[in-house]
Amino acid sequence: MPFNRDYLFLRIDPKVPFDEFGEDAEFSIFISQPAETRINCPVKGEHIKGVLYGRVGDDWKETGEVADASVRDIFEIGVPFRSLGAAEKDEVHLFVSLTRKGEEIERCPWRGYIKVIVPTENFEAMMWY
């Protein structure tokens, strides 16, 4: 999963073309750490944006948007770590879900989560060593 110091990038390659998904299908990216956050993105649309939500008690409150998103043959999104409340060396735990009419039809990973550690200032120099 690629990332840089400021952004987490996700790419999803579908088994079937996105054209075959219904108009009501969307991706949801659930982040459980460092703060409960969700990003919803439609699967179809010309200029899509992710809607960012934060957990407030038992409810989700809209807190912003993620404009760096695109869907054509693949789905790509760039999420600023700061939008997730994540700082250097923080662990980000996430999973991606595909929903239709509010029901989950696919999830990755199937169980658990993906863990990413937010890079430090010298991350790129360390990766070349």
Side-chain angles (χ1 to χ4, degrees):
M1 179 173 310
F3 53 91
N4 65 24
R5 185 167 177 233
D6 299 316
Y7 281 82
L8 169 70
F9 297 103
L10 297 174
R11 173 184 167 146
I12 297 173
D13 296 77
K15 288 183 181 179
V16 297
F18 287 122
D19 292 343
E20 295 181 23
F21 289 74
E23 294 295 325
D24 52 358
E26 69 179 0
F27 285 109
S28 293
I29 303 161
F30 290 91
I31 295 93
S32 61
Q33 189 174 310
E36 284 191 274
T37 308
R38 184 182 84 214
I39 303 164
N40 287 1
C41 288
V43 172
K44 291 186 174 186
E46 190 64 29
H47 302 285
I48 69 163
K49 292 181 182 176
V51 180
L52 189 65
Y53 297 90
R55 176 75 88 175
V56 179
D58 292 337
D59 298 321
W60 291 99
K61 179 184 175 191
E62 187 174 333
T63 59
E65 66 179 38
V66 179
D68 295 328
S70 177
V71 175
R72 296 219 188 231
D73 297 332
I74 59 172
F75 169 76
E76 294 179 305
I77 188 168
V79 182
F81 283 118
R82 72 177 179 279
S83 296
L84 307 177
E88 287 185 355
K89 299 184 182 178
D90 283 349
E91 285 187 8
V92 176
H93 296 181
L94 67 98
F95 69 88
V96 180
S97 177
L98 177 64
T99 61
R100 190 177 306 137
K101 296 182 182 178
E103 286 196 40
E104 185 176 78
I105 56 174
E106 191 73 40
R107 178 187 157 146
C108 183
W110 182 248
R111 293 188 319 185
Y113 54 84
I114 299 165
K115 178 175 87 170
V116 175
I117 298 175
V118 180
T120 61
E121 182 177 285
N122 58 356
F123 169 75
E124 289 184 24
M126 289 177 6
M127 294 309 291
W128 283 101
Y129 182 26

